Amino acid sequence: MAGGRQLDEKSSAVSIRLLDDELDKEKENVPSLLGLPLVQFSTTVRFIICSVAIFIFYVLYGCMLEFVFRVEGLRDHGWFVTLIQFGYYSLFAVMQLAVSRQSVRTNVPLNTYFTIALITVGTMGFSNTSMGYLNYPTQVIFKSCKLIPVMIGSIIILRKTYSFAQVLSCLMMCAGLVWFTLADSQIQPDFNLQGVVLVSMSLCCDAIIGNVQEAALKNSHEPSARVVLYSYGLGFLCILAFLLLTGSLLPGAFFFLEHWWELMPAILVLSASGFCGVQAVLALVTLHGALVAVTVTTARKAISILLSFLLFTKPFTIQYVWGGTLVVLGIYLNLLAKQQHALVTLLNNWYARAASTVRRCCERCTDALLTNKQRGPAGVLLRAWSNASTTCRREAGTDLVV
């Protein structure tokens, strides 16, 4: 009896230690937000803090961005604005590392950070430059459709296959973008297709950078502030060299000196709010996952678009609502597909049955025509179609392969 009691006590002690170790690991995985340790709050309070921070910082970011690019003549100096933003981001990252007493030294090769910096330059530089040609709501809608270039690149480069629900979500986003852009071109007197090209280039860079960062920094355990420091610091040098080579540095500097009080405080607030907003999104993703983070950021974008129409005078049409709704539905359908939601399973099964029915009908029609001993070029084409459809059925099965 005594031996059994001692064994139970030892088992209980081991269980308690394991539970304590799990709690300690969970606490270690809880990030801080701008120096605020979130570990001391409950799960609900953490979600509220991160969500409120995202709304405040990114709504402020959108307002400042639109305010800055409403300054007459700034259209030609979008890259200089990006240069100043990269400088501020690097400074804020150094300050955050100093406050948290973390070293600026990194074990990641500089050529890896240089690659990340180039893509980051493209993401923000093309986006800022497009603001000289597009209104802010159109830019936000385009930036929400990162899935489109990701899916196209995966199909072409990786030969990846997607389910019917994922392809449908991409088509919905494309339709929403076309709808929104056509509405913009009809009611905006200064609509310029160059803005669409620029924001599309920014979108492609934005779609690439996540995969590049994950592949390069997956096992490095780099803090976010250090990643920001090296990415934006090297990006600052790249933009500086670009402006020097193109002769755009001095004209941009003179323009900013002429509009100092109008631009510099606004760009300071723009950069600070963008830097803090990134930290809030990263914290929310770590705590609650990508689905919750996308839901919050999508709601934030809706508020930003609404405030853009309220605070800055611009034409409005109901077509904006329909185009934006299609994009939002496409985003959530893609998220549900990743979560393997029951609705997605229903859609995929429906497509499989419909595709199977269409194939059977085509094969029956082909067989009926072939049995009539139709000769000549038409007969050859029908036999080729029959063979191709049989091969496709065997290789693809009932899933959609693109």
Side-chain angles (χ1 to χ4, degrees), residues 306-320:
L306 178 62
L307 288 176
S308 176
F309 282 106
L310 293 177
L311 298 178
F312 302 95
T313 304
K314 56 174 65 70
F316 177 79
T317 173
I318 194 63
Q319 305 304 322
Y320 281 149

Side-chain angles (χ1 to χ4, degrees), residues 5-46:
R5 188 178 298 110
Q6 289 178 355
L7 184 61
D8 291 340
E9 289 176 355
K10 289 181 180 179
S11 300
S12 301
V14 171
S15 299
I16 291 173
R17 282 198 299 270
L18 290 173
L19 182 60
D20 290 339
D21 291 341
E22 290 179 1
L23 291 174
D24 291 338
K25 289 181 180 179
E26 184 179 351
K27 289 181 179 179
E28 290 177 0
N29 293 330
V30 176
S32 298
L33 178 58
L34 302 175
L36 177 65
L38 297 177
V39 69
Q40 61 185 339
F41 301 105
S42 66
T43 303
T44 303
V45 175
R46 292 173 197 165

Side-chain angles (χ1 to χ4, degrees), residues 77-85 239 243 248-250 252-253 256:
H77 305 291
W79 282 104
F80 197 88
V81 174
T82 309
L83 177 71
I84 298 175
Q85 278 188 272
I239 300 173
L243 292 176
S248 303
L249 183 63
L250 289 180
F256 271 72

Side-chain angles (χ1 to χ4, degrees), residues 319-377:
Q319 305 304 322
Y320 281 149
V321 177
W322 306 136
T325 301
L326 268 179
V327 170
V328 172
L329 291 176
I331 292 172
Y332 278 100
L333 181 57
N334 178 60
L335 286 173
L336 292 176
K338 291 180 179 179
Q339 299 291 325
Q340 296 182 347
H341 194 271
L343 176 62
V344 174
T345 304
L346 182 65
L347 282 173
N348 289 333
N349 291 338
W350 173 84
Y351 166 78
R353 289 194 297 270
S356 178
T357 302
V358 171
R359 279 196 296 267
R360 285 197 301 269
C361 290
C362 291
E363 289 168 2
R364 287 173 182 173
C365 292
T366 304
D367 292 340
L369 291 172
L370 287 174
T371 53
N372 291 331
K373 298 181 180 180
Q374 191 170 4
R375 299 179 180 179

